[in-house]
């Protein structure tokens, strides 16, 4: 089993966490965000994560989790009971839809504010003079692609606080969203919200702080440290 990934992508973190909970052995192939040729060659498209297994290329983090659950049902990350399974899938989808794009913008704003950080992530092997030039260009591309404006940050932080309050209320003080063991809903919520560590105002909000603290049970410490910078 091989995971083609951009290591800091929260979608790729999501898959790594799920594979870890399953206790599965896998190798990783890291690609640079600006060079999608390896993933395109393997899967016919340019997005990560992609899981290669038994001659198949599975695209999309949720599709990968469902594939892995079907192939390796123990320990279960999705309830067997039909109603509980449906609820789990709804919660997983909500976590993706609520936090994925928002937390990506939060993380990239943090990265763009730190000289040299984007270059180390996007062009780690480039010589220093060209790395500086490439970073200047990449910053403009990233800011334009993800609409990273000051006004947008205000909206994103406010929305992060609102969504975190909903998530914390749904947890209701329990360890997991459903039952005594983590499910893919927990994996999605923890990993999709984890990039909120990158914004000081957001992470100091009580609800966001509670959600991020809860997520540390699933999100590796080095991932959290990378988001916080």
């Amino acid at each position: 089993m091989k995971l083609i990934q951009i290591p800091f992508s929260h979608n790729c973190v999501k898959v790594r966490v799920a594979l870890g909970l399953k206790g599965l052995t896998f190798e990783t192939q890291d690609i640079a965000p600006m060079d999608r040729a390896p993933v395109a060659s393997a899967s016919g498209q340019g997005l990560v994560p992609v899981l290669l297994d038994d001659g198949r290329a599975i695209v999309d983090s949720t599709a990968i989790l469902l594939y892995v659950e079907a192939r390796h049902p123990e320990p279960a990350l999705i309830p067997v009971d039909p109603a509980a399974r449906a609820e789990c899938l709804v919660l997983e989808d909500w976590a993706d839809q609520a936090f994925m794009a928002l937390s990506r913008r939060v993380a990239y704003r943090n990265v763009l504010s730190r000289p040299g950080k984007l270059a180390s992530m996007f062009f780690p092997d480039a010589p220093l003079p060209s790395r500086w030039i490439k970073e200047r260009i990449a910053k403009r591309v990233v800011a334009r692609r993800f609409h990273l404006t000051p006004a947008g940050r205000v909206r994103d932080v406010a929305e992060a606080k609102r969504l975190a309050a909903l998530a914390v209320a749904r947890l209701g003080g329990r360890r997991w969203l459903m039952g005594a063991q983590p499910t893919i809903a927990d994996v999605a919520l923890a990993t999709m919200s984890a990039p909120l560590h990158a914004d000081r105002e957001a992470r100091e909000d009580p609800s966001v702080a509670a959600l991020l603290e809860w997520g540390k049970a699933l999100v590796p410490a080095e991932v959290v440290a990378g988001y916080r910078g």
Side-chain angles (χ1 to χ4, degrees):
M1 215 184 296
K2 177 189 286 187
L3 178 64
I4 304 178
Q5 64 167 0
I6 296 171
F8 54 84
S9 161
H10 51 348
N11 285 296
C12 297
V13 175
K14 175 182 167 184
V15 174
R16 295 201 306 269
V17 168
L19 293 175
L21 289 172
K22 288 286 188 183
L24 297 173
T25 300
F26 62 99
E27 56 183 304
T28 57
Q29 179 182 347
D30 297 345
I31 67 168
M34 305 299 281
D35 180 11
R36 302 302 179 106
V39 70
S41 175
S43 67
Q45 55 85 59
L47 301 179
V48 292
V50 170
L51 186 71
L52 304 180
D53 183 47
D54 196 24
R56 306 177 189 180
I58 302 93
V59 179
D60 178 79
S61 63
T62 298
I64 291 171
L65 268 55
L66 295 176
Y67 169 84
V68 170
E69 184 73 11
R71 293 272 289 182
H72 305 276
E74 296 296 334
L77 294 181
I78 302 176
V80 175
D81 174 75
R85 176 185 174 87
E87 182 180 0
C88 177
L89 296 179
V90 167
L91 289 171
E92 192 272 350
D93 185 64
W94 178 81
D96 276 2
Q97 295 297 323
F99 288 102
M100 184 189 299
L102 182 153
S103 65
R104 180 189 293 120
R105 292 192 297 270
V106 167
Y108 268 128
R109 287 191 187 95
N110 177 281
V111 168
L112 297 189
S113 72
R114 297 154 59 193
K117 181 61 177 177
L118 190 69
S120 70
M121 294 165 62
F122 279 33
F123 316 108
D125 300 322
L128 285 178
S130 65
R131 188 190 298 186
W132 180 77
I133 296 171
K134 288 180 177 181
E135 181 178 61
R136 291 188 65 185
I137 297 171
K139 280 186 173 182
R140 291 196 292 269
V141 171
V142 169
R144 183 168 58 249
R145 177 180 177 184
F146 297 111
H147 309 289
L148 304 182
T149 64
R153 178 192 170 275
V154 173
R155 290 193 298 270
D156 282 345
V157 170
E159 182 67 353
K161 294 176 181 179
R162 185 186 74 83
L163 293 170
L166 290 174
V168 170
R170 178 60 179 79
L171 282 163
R174 299 185 300 271
R175 185 175 184 187
W176 307 116
L177 287 165
M178 301 184 64
Q181 302 298 328
T183 66
I184 64 170
D186 299 290
V187 172
L189 180 58
T191 57
M192 291 300 104
S193 61
L196 297 178
H197 278 285
D199 189 284
R200 178 175 294 180
E201 180 185 347
R203 68 177 184 251
E204 290 179 352
D205 173 77
S207 294
V208 176
L211 177 60
L212 295 178
E213 186 62 30
W214 168 83
K216 287 180 181 179
L218 292 172
V219 180
E222 64 271 19
V223 172
V224 172
Y227 289 140
R228 291 178 71 98

